[in-house]
Amino acid sequence: MTSAGTPAHSPAPDPAPVHYLSTLSFSDAWLDRLRERVPGLEITQITAEKAADVPDEVWRRTRVLHTGGVFPGPGQAPALEWIQLDTSGADHLKGTPAWELPVPITSIGGISPVPMAEYVMMMVLGLAHRLPRAVAIQRSGVWPSLSERWNTLMPRSLRGATLGVIGYGRIGQEIGRLARAHHMDVLGLKRGKAARSGAFFGAAARDEADAEIYTPDRLHDFLARCDYLVVTCPLTDETAGMVDAAALAALKEGAMVVNVARGGIVDEEALLRALRSGHVAGAALDVFDEEPLGADSPWWTEPGVLLTPHVAGFAPDYEEQVLRLVGENIERHLAGSDLLNLVDRGRGY
């Protein structure tokens, strides 16, 4: 183990065929292209929801596992050498036997920054232009008076407004680029200066010098300047509950909140109270503490809120980019080279 708690990577111990198991549902054409890229790769695809959906014999032969959330039990996959997640985060592995396995874990981080940044700016523009109110008017079927339109649909100007991003990594930097195109001031909050290695698809990494960077110990100073708060950070022990009642109270009066990270980072009850008091003027939420969101959740009908069902990270060219990343990582694994998007168990992502 390394000092960060991440297993050191080593090449495959023998020349036997590498058995790659996917618990996802890729097309035959996708699998054929992976075979072409890595000749000799032995591929098994089983669309699975739990470990029991995979026969024990397959688990025993698996050396590379590509999955979103299906992991072998203790001792079930003795030949396993590496886990490739089909998720950007690794929070769902914490506390599971898979997290303790002495094998590297990699993510697909870097595939979604462009669509996620576009989603965030769509929501920022939607909140600025009173989209929740406009949707409510459409559903009512009643054309409002000029006075009502003037008083309830007047947009906010983005020019000169301050957008703060909690988690100023690959996604945050792409959001910052788009925000600056609207002449917004950009703040980023991140843990440190250290860059994280990994694949980045669809956009070049941005220069942090274009944003004013804060560290978590200055969270409330950061929040006090935000007209728009965007949450993109991973869910870890450090970020769980980070945007709590005190943090929301520290926000500039009338700020808007956009959460595309994970449920558990923003205190939902505190946010609901802040919206109803008027301290927070609106919110766009793509993630929740419990998913699917229950039919009786107040978020479905809360005024001033735009809601989507965890779709901000959907990438239109997902399969092509995953093929590039997985193919590259398998080649690196066979060569004993560093893997892309290696999860740091010490950091939790």
Side-chain angles (χ1 to χ4, degrees):
M1 303 284 282
T2 67
S3 59
T6 302
H9 179 241
S10 58
D14 59 63
V18 173
H19 181 230
Y20 159 93
L21 168 64
S22 167
T23 67
L24 306 162
S25 182
F26 292 110
S27 66
D28 289 342
W30 190 94
L31 296 172
D32 287 343
R33 290 181 64 194
L34 183 59
R35 290 186 182 96
E36 290 174 5
R37 173 152 186 172
V38 189
L41 186 68
E42 181 183 322
I43 295 177
T44 298
Q45 178 166 266
I46 299 173
T47 304
E49 296 183 357
K50 56 187 183 301
D53 294 335
V54 179
D56 287 341
E57 186 275 334
V58 174
W59 277 129
R60 284 193 294 271
R61 291 188 295 114
T62 298
R63 290 171 62 179
V64 176
L65 172 62
H66 185 183
T67 186
V70 178
F71 305 101
Q76 198 170 16
L80 188 65
E81 298 168 2
W82 155 46
I83 297 173
Q84 171 67 59
L85 296 176
D86 204 65
T87 58
S88 296
D91 49 280
H92 57 302
L93 271 74
K94 293 286 292 287
T96 70
W99 190 253
E100 304 303 325
L101 290 172
V103 300
I105 300 170
T106 56
S107 75
I108 59 167
I111 285 179
S112 295
V114 170
M116 286 190 78
E118 291 173 351
Y119 172 100
V120 166
M121 289 312 299
M122 173 184 72
M123 290 304 186
V124 167
L125 285 162
L127 292 171
H129 285 262
R130 316 295 183 182
L131 185 57
R133 175 61 183 156
V135 170
I137 290 171
Q138 178 183 355
R139 288 175 176 167
S140 75
V142 177
W143 190 274
S145 67
L146 175 58
S147 175
E148 184 179 354
R149 282 179 277 152
W150 185 268
N151 291 327
T152 65
L153 293 175
M154 180 65 69
R156 290 185 176 191
S157 176
L158 294 189
R159 185 180 292 266
T162 298
L163 181 141
V165 183
I166 294 180
Y168 205 69
R170 292 179 290 203
I171 297 167
Q173 290 173 38
E174 182 66 7
I175 293 168
R177 183 182 73 85
L178 297 184
R180 285 188 294 274
H182 291 276
H183 303 283
M184 302 182 80
D185 295 325
V186 179
L187 311 179
L189 187 137
K190 59 179 296 185
R191 207 163 88 158
K193 294 286 187 182
R196 302 210 55 226
S197 63
F200 187 94
F201 297 97
R206 303 297 164 191
D207 186 352
E208 286 183 5
D210 289 334
E212 188 176 345
I213 302 298
Y214 283 72
T215 48
D217 59 306
R218 299 185 61 205
L219 173 63
H220 286 201
D221 295 334
F222 164 86
L223 293 169
R225 296 181 57 189
C226 294
D227 296 295
Y228 296 86
L229 172 65
V230 180
V231 184
T232 69
C233 60
L235 176 60
T236 66
D237 291 342
E238 292 181 344
T239 64
M242 185 181 200
V243 184
D244 56 12
L248 291 166
L251 271 173
K252 184 184 290 188
E253 184 79 22
M256 309 277 201
V257 175
V258 180
N259 187 7
V260 293
R262 285 289 190 272
I265 297 171
V266 177
D267 183 327
E268 291 185 6
E269 291 298 322
L271 178 58
L272 201 59
R273 291 193 299 269
L275 283 161
R276 291 176 178 176
S277 74
H279 181 71
V280 171
L285 306 174
D286 185 55
V287 293
F288 298 89
D289 291 348
E290 294 185 10
E291 297 179 6
L293 196 62
D296 59 347
S297 171
W299 290 118
W300 292 112
T301 55
E302 183 64 24
V305 171
L306 297 171
L307 179 156
T308 53
H310 206 143
V311 298
F314 284 10
D317 47 359
Y318 157 82
E319 285 204 356
E320 181 64 32
Q321 295 185 84
V322 170
L323 181 68
R324 289 170 56 194
L325 176 58
V326 171
E328 174 72 18
N329 261 349
I330 291 175
E331 290 174 348
R332 286 171 176 250
H333 179 71
L334 293 175
S337 302
D338 292 339
L339 298 173
L340 297 174
N341 289 358
L342 189 66
V343 171
D344 184 327
R345 283 172 167 86
R347 288 187 173 192
Y349 61 94

